[in-house]
Amino acid sequence: MDRVISRTTLRGAAFLLAGASVFLLASCREDMHNQPKFIPLRENQFYADGRSARPQVEGTIARGQLQDDPLLYTGKVNGQEVDQFPFAITEKDLARGRERFNIFCSPCHSQLGDGNGMIVQRGFKKPPSYFDPRLMKAPAGHFFNVMTNGWGAMGDYSAQVPVADRWRIAAYIRALQLSQTAKSSDVAAGQKLVSHAPENGAGVTSKLEAHVTDNREAK
């Protein structure tokens, strides 16, 4: 009899313990589910302005977003567009610039840079040719600035094209300009002239690299 009572008591205790555990777990979840918190963009009377979302502290800069090189991020020095590149332009950079140019720029500017791209042929406003005297004299920083902030009917491409690629595109634009105005005297001694446009702008790489290096050293 004692053994039967003991088993019954143990069984009841087990059920009570299980029920208590379930109750505690349910209570814990309910407390977490209903805990005080701010819902994004929802009104909250805790703050005087009634907003749950708090404004950023003045001067806050997101991690990795410190733009401490004006030339790299704006194409300007002391507020003026300059004919300098923030890093040395190599043949690999020109090839990358050509690829990005053909993707993002050629629909309007054409692969030649004469402003007669497919979008223009279908009725949209024609952009100026890169061989226009004004743009032939424009500094490299101008092309970077236009890609970053837009110009006239052209929107900005800062979201689509990273900073470094914008500079590579600017370098390729300069290469296109050089390809249309180069003279035999521009060819370095020992190099041969070609009768067709190179695939990646290699024909003007040496002159462009020298131009970039000279300007960078003058900074």
Side-chain angles (χ1 to χ4, degrees), residues 132-147:
D132 181 281
R134 175 181 66 86
L135 292 182
M136 290 292 290
K137 297 178 182 178
H142 173 73
F143 299 111
F144 176 86
N145 186 32
V146 170
M147 283 182 274

Side-chain angles (χ1 to χ4, degrees), residues 89 94 174 177-179 181-183 185-188 191 201-215:
I89 301 297
L94 278 180
R174 183 66 83 222
Q177 292 175 324
L178 289 173
S179 73
T181 61
K183 301 180 292 294
S185 58
D186 294 328
V187 180
Q191 293 187 358
V204 294
T205 301
S206 297
K207 181 177 179 181
L208 182 61
E209 286 182 337
H211 173 75
V212 171
T213 302
D214 291 343
N215 279 291

Side-chain angles (χ1 to χ4, degrees), residues 6 8 10 24 49 52 54 61 65 71 94 108 110-111 135 139 141-142 144 157-158 166 180-181:
S6 177
T8 302
L10 290 175
L24 289 174
D49 59 8
S52 60
R54 310 313 304 146
I61 299 176
Q65 298 299 314
L71 174 58
L94 278 180
C108 290
S110 89
Q111 293 189 13
L135 292 182
H142 173 73
F144 176 86
Y157 279 77
S158 57
R166 277 176 253 159
Q180 298 298 309
T181 61

Side-chain angles (χ1 to χ4, degrees), residues 50-94:
R51 298 185 302 170
S52 60
R54 310 313 304 146
Q56 292 182 347
V57 177
E58 185 176 355
T60 299
I61 299 176
R63 185 184 298 273
Q65 298 299 314
L66 179 60
Q67 299 183 358
D68 57 348
D69 186 339
L71 174 58
L72 176 63
Y73 291 103
T74 68
K76 300 178 181 180
V77 174
N78 297 325
Q80 298 295 318
E81 295 175 341
V82 294
D83 198 25
Q84 298 175 215
F85 290 86
F87 52 88
I89 301 297
T90 65
E91 186 172 350
K92 184 177 180 180
D93 289 316
L94 278 180

Side-chain angles (χ1 to χ4, degrees), residues 122-207:
R122 294 181 177 179
F124 286 81
K125 185 175 181 180
K126 181 178 181 179
S129 169
Y130 290 131
F131 313 116
D132 181 281
R134 175 181 66 86
L135 292 182
M136 290 292 290
K137 297 178 182 178
H142 173 73
F143 299 111
F144 176 86
N145 186 32
V146 170
M147 283 182 274
T148 302
N149 301 301
W151 185 279
M154 173 182 164
D156 72 87
Y157 279 77
S158 57
Q160 298 93 325
V161 184
V163 170
D165 280 348
R166 277 176 253 159
W167 279 111
R168 294 180 180 109
I169 291 174
Y172 183 69
I173 291 173
R174 183 66 83 222
L176 284 175
Q177 292 175 324
L178 289 173
S179 73
Q180 298 298 309
T181 61
K183 301 180 292 294
S184 298
S185 58
D186 294 328
V187 180
Q191 293 187 358
K192 296 181 179 180
L193 289 172
V194 294
S195 59
H196 61 279
E199 288 296 321
N200 58 4
V204 294
T205 301
S206 297
K207 181 177 179 181

